Amino acid sequence: GYAWLVIGLLLKAIWLLMAANFAEKWIHALTIGAFTTMILAVMTRASLGHTGRALIAPRNIATCYGLVTIAAVVRVFAPAIFPARYSEIVAVSGLLWIAAFGIFLWIYTPIRARPRADGKPV
């Protein structure tokens, strides 16, 4: 998430100073890359902490982070490489984003629905 923050701001500077085509989608580096990754990280950590579980994310949750990162790469850089495929690029990026949060829900819905692991009241 922090890396995407740096990438997004660098792309914004390049876009504003040079209007380089590859940097045009800088806002998506911030929104998909930085914000979504950080939101996902907070949700995974808070869900474990608030349910009395160890703060060790389930192994499969790394897939979510990977899918969000790929979604950001596709959305930010693919339009400059394949401008004629813009609609497909947006769709692929969106599907990757949806898949990431679908996996998150699959893994964390049971965690959030069960009583606290440490037996303390909610």
Side-chain angles (χ1 to χ4, degrees), residues 46-100:
S47 293
L48 295 171
H50 287 270
T51 59
R53 288 168 172 75
L55 300 180
I56 300 169
R59 182 177 295 258
N60 294 338
I61 207 67
T63 304
C64 298
Y65 294 108
L67 289 172
V68 167
T69 298
I70 295 168
V73 168
V74 168
R75 186 66 180 92
V76 172
F77 297 110
I81 300 168
F82 307 105
R85 300 278 190 195
Y86 186 73
S87 295
E88 292 92 340
I89 289 166
V90 172
V92 167
S93 179
L95 288 172
L96 290 165
W97 191 94
I98 290 167

